Amino acid sequence: MKLNQSLNIKVRQLAMDGQAYVPIQGETVILNGVLPDEEVKVTLIKRIKEGWIGRVDALIKRSPKRVNSACPYSLKCGGCAYLHMDYAYELQLKKQQLIDLVNSQGLRLKVHDVCGMEAPCAYRNKIIMSFGRHGKQVQFGFYSDYSHEIVDIKNCLNHDEVSNRILQTIKELVIKYRVEIYDEDRRTGFLRHVLIRRGFMSNQTLVCFVGAQKVWPGSKNFVSELIQRCPEVTSVVQNTNSRKTSVVLGDEEKILYGKGFIIDKLLGVKYTISAKSFYQINHDQTEKLYAKAIELMALKGNEMVYDMYCGIGTIGISAASKAKKVIGVEVNRQAVEDAKKNAAVNQIKNVEFVCEDASAYMKKAAAQRRMVDAVFIDPPRSGSDEAFLTALANMKPKQIVYVSCNPQTQMRDIKVLMKYGYQAEECYPFDMFPRTAHVESVVLMSRKRI
């Protein structure tokens, strides 16, 4: 195979990342924007470690599940993988991929239908936009697939109307006040990213400007006009990130307007959300997911409960009224401070939060033979490590509810826990990020009775 070679390819299936990996002549061609059973005309445009990136030039055979994308940026933007797919089919596909994953791991889990959204758009309450220049033109948007080129976006279907309007206003003000855009190659300029957090229940909005230096000339006038034109903005902060990194936020932050955080409500509980807080992106789906996790735990009111990788305490605080005591563990110090504030604001007194690595805490708790009846775990995409899982199993909680944003690492960890006498019967998937390839899943694990 060679660069710019043209091929006709038949797509058999999609991987869980939404791409098709098609084996041809001992190589792999990677395609976006295709559906199973489609035939496409492709040009090879880039060689990467995993294979060849193919650009789809024409549909030879079109799937009946294909729809016309309502997004004008979908062919360039790497944000959504499934805008060309009928939504009902998207949910079916995600369920089947989970079933295939479960079977490939030799597990016997009933995979329920994916809990989808009635209107799968305008759901993101957290937005990160990168800024750049194309010639003299200011651009902001998402990065294109397999590149660091910004796709200039005016309106994103996954953002609500308020967020899109605020972003457009910011772009106009960047031009008006001649804010210098950061140049990654030269490492000059100021503005790198804008992060927006929306409280869908409170209608409060936090805007965080990420700059390469601490000094932002003209920021006072810029912020004054922003809040005048966008009254939904209740807080503005400036974050400084001078490192050469793909990580968006730096360590230093100062408040330019408001309190530096917003308030939102989840399952009737108020939460303080800062720029750095971990808070689920889809409010409505999060309420459904947490309600299911708490339902599966079936707490009776006299249990000691651990909430591991607790973030700002959302699961533990939501479950506290049904338990004797909840201990939340999180390695991020700012998240723990937010969790403590959230418990205090809601006058929840049977919750304690500890800033510590989850594995280290669990190993220490197991060594001290502490008692725990039930454990929520909601780890990062990489899942838990074996040290954590071993210590967890040694503590012998009766119930473990595993919430995951990555079913592949979740199933891996479930297999480890099964070796220690736990069993799982059902998997409940939730479409937290409609129109993307991601799916979250909840599994209850119970200790076998001997």
Side-chain angles (χ1 to χ4, degrees), residues 70-84:
C71 175
Y73 317 107
S74 58
L75 294 178
K76 296 180 179 179
C77 174
C80 299
Y82 290 161
L83 281 167
H84 61 293

Side-chain angles (χ1 to χ4, degrees), residues 170 190-191 193-197 205-211 216 219 222-223 226-227 233-240 249 252-262 273-276:
I170 289 172
F190 172 75
L191 184 61
H193 311 280
V194 168
L195 182 152
I196 292 179
R197 306 205 76 145
T205 306
L206 166 70
V207 177
C208 175
F209 293 92
V210 183
W216 178 7
S219 61
F222 187 109
V223 172
L226 173 63
I227 59 179
V233 176
T234 54
S235 196
V236 181
V237 299
Q238 178 187 335
N239 180 279
T240 302
L249 295 176
E252 296 185 58
E253 194 171 278
K254 65 179 178 180
I255 299 172
L256 302 181
Y257 173 75
K259 297 180 178 180
F261 60 84
I262 59 171
I273 306 162
S274 63
K276 295 182 179 180

Side-chain angles (χ1 to χ4, degrees), residues 180-242:
E180 291 187 43
I181 305 300
Y182 182 70
D183 186 308
E184 287 189 331
D185 296 325
R186 299 178 181 176
R187 301 190 70 182
T188 58
F190 172 75
L191 184 61
R192 301 180 70 158
H193 311 280
V194 168
L195 182 152
I196 292 179
R197 306 205 76 145
R198 290 271 293 138
F200 279 8
M201 298 296 290
S202 65
N203 198 33
Q204 295 180 7
T205 306
L206 166 70
V207 177
C208 175
F209 293 92
V210 183
Q213 300 94 30
K214 295 180 183 180
V215 179
W216 178 7
S219 61
K220 186 174 181 180
N221 291 335
F222 187 109
V223 172
S224 177
E225 185 166 348
L226 173 63
I227 59 179
Q228 181 182 2
R229 293 175 59 177
C230 301
E232 298 89 354
V233 176
T234 54
S235 196
V236 181
V237 299
Q238 178 187 335
N239 180 279
T240 302
N241 186 354
S242 58

Side-chain angles (χ1 to χ4, degrees), residues 35 164 347 370 404:
L35 295 178
N164 280 322
Q347 298 184 335
R370 299 181 198 170
S404 176

